Amino acid sequence: GESVGLHLPTLSVQEGDNSIINCAYSNSASDYFIWYKQESGKGPQFIIDIRSNMDKRQGQRVTVLLNKTVKHLSLQIAATQPGDSAVYFCAESNDYKLSFGAGTTVTVRA
Amino acid sequence: NAGVTQTPKFRILKIGQSMTLQCTQDMNHNYMYWYRQDPGMGLKLIYYSVGAGITDKGEVPNGYNVSRSTTEDFPLRLELAAPSQTSVYFCASRGQGAGTEAFFGQGTRLTVV
């Protein structure tokens, strides 16, 4: 079965606010944890990843936090924009394996 | 670079028919994957390949077959289509190693009636 899952299936955010998307995982042996964004009618697109020996990584407007103690992963999006409306998946990678959770649908309100 | 290209984009099959979903990548990636995505759900792994001539089953392989005769191509075969195979299918590829970025195709929306 799936070893990666998300806490909430939907998230509604006011434009300009920060978004936090959460994910729980169960496989402590994974080497990397990754966030993907899927816009309507398209394939998933890589956003950011974090290696299992790190606890924080920042990108452009995004930050991923990894808490190995409670097996929790989160994606923070700063100053959420309408273009951030999409489904967000967390995934875990271990050599060739790449497993996905169910996804959180983020809707940005104007 | 075109990245990962899937064909067709849409297809309607009758129960019992067969078809091949094509996937090709031009990034010289070793790892390739086929996933299916049911409405409102995540991606479930059907088959994967770590290189030409090597394939293995994922979570949901029943009803599907694959081959990997070249690095570039990874076709997915449905032999006897069933309504349960109605889904969106995504092909992905990435380089070798857990930290490499995966690139996805645009998907094939398949309906079995």
Side-chain angles (χ1 to χ4, degrees), chain B residues 14 21 27-30 32-33 41 58-59 64 81-82 85-86 94 100 102 108 112-113:
Chain B
K14 293 185 178 178
L21 282 67
M27 296 171 282
N28 201 33
H29 286 166
N30 288 327
M32 294 190 75
Y33 307 84
M41 303 296 286
E59 301 172 74
Y64 307 95
Q85 293 177 306
T86 294
R94 63 175 181 164
T100 55
T108 296
V112 182
V113 297

Side-chain angles (χ1 to χ4, degrees), chain B residues 6-22 34-39 46 63-64 76-90 106-113:
Chain B
Q6 288 183 238
T7 56
K9 287 187 170 52
F10 303 94
R11 183 72 185 268
I12 298 175
L13 277 183
K14 293 185 178 178
I15 294 172
Q17 286 186 320
S18 61
M19 76 165 293
T20 299
L21 282 67
Q22 301 292 345
W34 274 106
Y35 294 90
R36 60 175 287 172
Q37 185 177 32
D38 298 327
I46 306 171
Y64 307 95
L76 177 71
R77 179 83 176 163
L78 283 72
E79 289 294 348
L80 291 170
S84 61
Q85 293 177 306
T86 294
S87 191
V88 180
Y89 292 83
F90 288 101
Q106 293 285 345
T108 296
R109 184 175 296 273
L110 175 68
T111 303
V112 182
V113 297

Side-chain angles (χ1 to χ4, degrees), chain A residues 36 38 93 95-98, chain B residues 31 33 35 37 48 94 98:
Chain A
Y36 285 86
Q38 186 179 28
S93 176
D95 191 15
Y96 56 84
K97 293 182 179 178
L98 185 60
Chain B
Y31 297 171
Y33 307 84
Y35 294 90
Q37 185 177 32
Y48 67 93
R94 63 175 181 164

Side-chain angles (χ1 to χ4, degrees), chain A residues 37-85:
Chain A
K37 175 185 180 183
Q38 186 179 28
E39 296 176 333
S40 182
K42 296 184 178 181
Q45 190 170 19
F46 174 92
I47 303 172
I48 190 169
D49 65 3
I50 186 167
R51 195 166 184 172
S52 59
N53 62 356
M54 299 171 65
D55 52 23
K56 181 178 180 179
R57 189 174 184 207
Q58 289 185 290
Q60 187 177 7
R61 275 203 312 121
V62 294
T63 300
V64 57
L65 299 177
L66 178 62
N67 186 331
K68 292 179 285 294
T69 302
V70 295
K71 297 182 181 178
H72 183 267
L73 183 72
S74 69
L75 177 70
Q76 301 176 2
I77 304 174
T80 309
Q81 301 169 0
D84 295 327
S85 291

